[in-house]
Amino acid sequence: MSVFEKKPVWPAPRHAFEREITVRFSHCDPAGIVFFPQYFVMLNQLVEDWFTEELGIRYAELLGPRRIGLPTVSLSSDFTAPSRMGDRVALGLSVLRIGGGSLTLELGCRCDDEPRMRARQVLVTTSLETMRAVALPDDVRAAFERFEQAQRERA
């Protein structure tokens, strides 16, 4: 039995914010499966969409005119099954913790009910002028808290 034939050891969660995408040729390596760094690109796009579409804070405006950065300071991941070109997968995120100047997210990818990968990511708000950590802006904190409350109500 290959590593790809093993059953996952954890269920594929449904996240509070999800988007379906089609795995494209550009996501895949010569073996025809998603090249693992591509998951991080897809998940970063998901975070950008979450800010703009769900939180109502344009991600491009946050980084551009407002000069607030959200670098990743911690990222861990597990991969349980391959995704192949043409697969329709759901990428999702849930809020785990809102800190004074940070946010911890649980992210994942599933195909139907099969988990493909999951990650835990910590983002820290920074000034893009000074490159130093700053407190969460009030509107960003309020948007996170509204989302977290709705997430709890859905659970």
Side-chain angles (χ1 to χ4, degrees):
M1 174 183 289
S2 79
V3 67
F4 295 128
E5 295 170 323
K6 292 181 182 177
K7 293 287 183 200
V9 295
W10 42 271
R14 299 297 193 263
H15 289 279
F17 179 78
E18 289 193 340
R19 289 292 178 264
E20 281 196 1
I21 67 160
T22 300
V23 174
R24 307 232 179 250
F25 174 78
S26 62
H27 298 137
C28 298
D29 62 17
I33 61 175
V34 172
F35 181 46
F36 76 92
Q38 290 296 332
Y39 278 115
F40 302 128
V41 172
M42 291 185 271
L43 292 173
N44 191 71
Q45 292 166 347
L46 180 74
V47 170
E48 290 183 35
D49 290 347
W50 176 61
F51 265 84
T52 302
E53 298 170 17
E54 183 75 17
L55 300 180
I57 298 170
R58 289 187 52 237
Y59 193 80
E61 184 177 300
L62 191 66
L63 274 70
R66 293 181 65 181
R67 306 297 294 149
I68 301 294
L70 291 162
T72 298
V73 297
S74 178
L75 179 64
S76 62
S77 57
D78 297 300
F79 303 90
T80 58
S83 295
R84 293 179 169 78
M85 187 172 67
D87 284 353
R88 285 290 292 172
V89 297
L91 300 173
L93 69 77
S94 299
V95 170
L96 293 178
R97 181 183 173 279
I98 302 169
S102 66
L103 179 70
T104 304
L105 298 173
E106 179 181 61
L107 305 132
C109 176
R110 65 179 170 79
C111 186
D112 297 320
D113 290 325
E114 180 185 36
R116 300 295 175 85
M117 69 85 63
R118 69 177 175 181
R120 181 172 289 205
Q121 179 179 29
V122 179
L123 303 170
V124 172
T125 49
T126 60
S127 162
L128 293 178
E129 301 302 328
T130 66
M131 295 300 175
R132 296 192 182 276
V134 296
L136 288 170
D138 291 341
D139 64 323
V140 174
R141 172 177 294 288
F144 290 166
E145 289 171 350
R146 283 191 303 274
F147 181 83
E148 186 180 41
Q149 178 62 36
Q151 174 181 286
R152 278 194 302 267
E153 292 170 1
R154 286 184 216 138

